Amino acid sequence: MMEDTRFCQYFKQWMELYKCGAVRPVTYRKYEMTHKQLAMLAPDLMLRDLTRLTYQQLLNDYAETHERQTTMDFHRHLKSSLLDALEEGLIARDPTRKAIIKGTAHQQHKIKYLHQYELQALLNELELEGEVNWDYFILLIAKTGLRFAEALGVTPNSFDFAHQMLTIDKTWDYKSKIGGFAPTKNESSVRKIPLDWQTVIQFSQLTKHLPSDQPIFVKGQVYNDTVNHYLERLCKHAQVPIISVHGLRHTHASLLLYAGVSIASVARRLGHSNMTTTQQTYIHIIQELENQDNDKVMKHLASLI
């Protein structure tokens, strides 16, 4: 009987029935993670024993090791399943009503990026002769700030060499064994990125004889770790700090900010949904630039005497 069902069992059934095939694979994996956490925290919690008290204790246990936003996502998943259970008469009351969302203090992680001379030293290590390789992949992200999945989704058709433009309108689902094209992270991620003439020449030659609608860099299963380990070796050889592929995206953005490019323009180039995301991500750099601006303001005002 359903009243003898454990909460984690019910959530798994609900997730498979309502979410599998209805949401993107990357989103469904988040539901699977919620189920895994639920089964670990409350393996024997029965549906019939769910009250506001037991539910709040479950959230509190989760919040002890997760930030508030992550706890909120966990709560949203569980609440959706329990509201359906309430509607079906499987539980008598909504145990999630007036739930308090807690969480560990938000950790402001300082982003890892290379300075301009360090990036140049890394790029000097790249082998950019002949056929497609991960060196070209690294170059493309360094020059455009693409996300890993966006760069994998680039095809020869993505380039408009005549207008020096790269269109990002899809990604590659490298996390699944099947692979295939997938939508971008959000609507703002669909964008056109201006390219410098050197990049245009390099990739026009590279893609000349490749299938126009097939991903340039995907040859079978692709693993993020594989590229990161290769990049690590390049960094060591170039004697620069070790960064990840995502660190190349941060490097691209930081160099633009240091060059005086506006936050709005950087946000558009990176495909951020709003400038707040850009400001929060690069707060250390922005504060440093503001301090430099203050020095310029003081010098200018002092010159007016």
Side-chain angles (χ1 to χ4, degrees):
M1 295 177 61
M2 184 57 71
E3 62 182 10
D4 295 323
T5 301
R6 291 177 297 152
F7 182 22
C8 59
Q9 281 182 305
Y10 171 75
F11 183 83
K12 187 172 188 293
Q13 293 170 358
W14 174 86
M15 162 183 95
E16 292 172 345
L17 182 63
Y18 291 103
K19 297 303 176 182
C20 186
V23 296
R24 290 173 56 187
V26 65
T27 304
Y28 187 69
R29 284 192 285 272
K30 293 178 182 178
Y31 281 95
E32 290 179 318
M33 183 57 68
T34 295
H35 171 257
K36 182 179 179 181
Q37 293 286 335
L38 177 59
M40 183 174 65
L41 289 171
D44 300 318
L45 179 60
M46 311 298 286
L47 265 183
R48 65 169 180 265
D49 295 330
L50 269 172
T51 63
R52 285 184 60 201
L53 191 66
T54 56
Y55 183 77
Q56 185 66 57
Q57 186 60 56
L58 173 61
L59 286 186
N60 289 353
D61 291 344
Y62 183 85
E64 284 184 6
T65 54
H66 295 83
E67 293 184 6
R68 189 178 183 280
Q69 184 56 54
T70 310
T71 305
M72 176 65 78
D73 294 338
F74 181 71
H75 164 63
R76 286 198 185 108
H77 285 176
L78 298 184
K79 182 174 181 176
S80 295
S81 71
L82 290 173
L83 288 180
D84 280 348
L86 178 65
E87 190 172 317
E88 294 167 15
L90 303 177
I91 54 177
R93 296 181 181 84
D94 176 13
T96 69
R97 190 173 69 87
K98 294 185 179 180
I100 305 299
I101 309 301
K102 304 176 184 180
T104 59
H106 177 67
Q107 298 294 316
Q108 182 64 53
H109 302 291
K110 195 167 184 179
I111 62 170
K112 290 186 176 181
Y113 63 91
L114 299 179
H115 293 287
Q116 185 166 350
Y117 69 92
E118 293 171 332
L119 176 61
Q120 188 59 64
L122 174 64
L123 297 182
N124 288 343
E125 296 295 324
L126 301 182
E127 294 291 339
L128 300 174
E129 299 293 335
E131 299 179 351
V132 175
N133 56 25
W134 288 123
D135 296 61
Y136 278 107
F137 184 80
I138 289 168
L139 175 69
L140 183 64
I141 295 180
K143 288 294 191 81
T144 60
L146 296 182
R147 299 178 177 94
F148 184 75
E150 290 174 343
L152 288 179
V154 168
T155 68
N157 276 347
S158 301
F159 291 94
D160 180 352
F161 295 118
H163 297 93
Q164 295 187 213
M165 203 72 69
L166 174 64
T167 298
I168 300 302
D169 54 9
K170 58 188 174 298
T171 63
W172 185 263
D173 186 12
Y174 68 94
K175 293 183 179 179
S176 73
K177 293 182 179 179
I178 301 174
F181 290 113
T184 54
K185 185 175 182 180
N186 50 51
E187 290 184 7
S188 301
S189 297
V190 176
R191 60 202 189 277
K192 291 182 182 294
I193 301 176
L195 301 172
D196 64 277
W197 64 268
Q198 287 177 313
T199 304
V200 167
I201 292 173
Q202 287 166 317
F203 279 86
S204 63
Q205 293 298 317
L206 182 69
T207 61
K208 188 179 296 183
H209 302 297
L210 296 178
S212 60
D213 58 351
Q214 294 301 307
I216 297 171
F217 298 103
V218 177
K219 302 291 185 293
Q221 184 75 40
V222 178
Y223 299 98
N224 190 289
D225 281 350
T226 303
V227 189
N228 278 329
H229 287 149
Y230 179 65
L231 178 56
E232 180 180 344
R233 292 198 300 273
L234 288 175
C235 288
K236 287 179 178 178
H237 203 268
Q239 297 183 323
V240 300
I242 296 171
I243 60 169
S244 64
V245 171
H246 199 69
L248 287 172
R249 175 173 163 86
H250 289 321
T251 297
H252 180 79
S254 66
L255 292 182
L256 294 182
L257 290 170
Y258 279 125
V261 178
S262 71
I263 296 174
S265 295
V266 173
R268 281 195 298 272
R269 191 169 176 92
L270 295 181
H272 284 164
S273 55
N274 54 62
M275 284 190 293
T276 303
T277 303
T278 315
Q279 289 170 323
Q280 290 175 343
T281 305
Y282 302 102
I283 184 66
H284 299 289
I285 296 171
I286 292 169
Q287 287 174 344
E288 183 182 334
L289 292 172
E290 284 178 350
N291 290 336
Q292 292 177 9
D293 286 344
N294 287 336
D295 292 340
K296 291 177 184 177
V297 170
M298 293 304 103
K299 287 179 182 178
H300 177 69
L301 293 178
S303 69
L304 295 177
I305 298 176

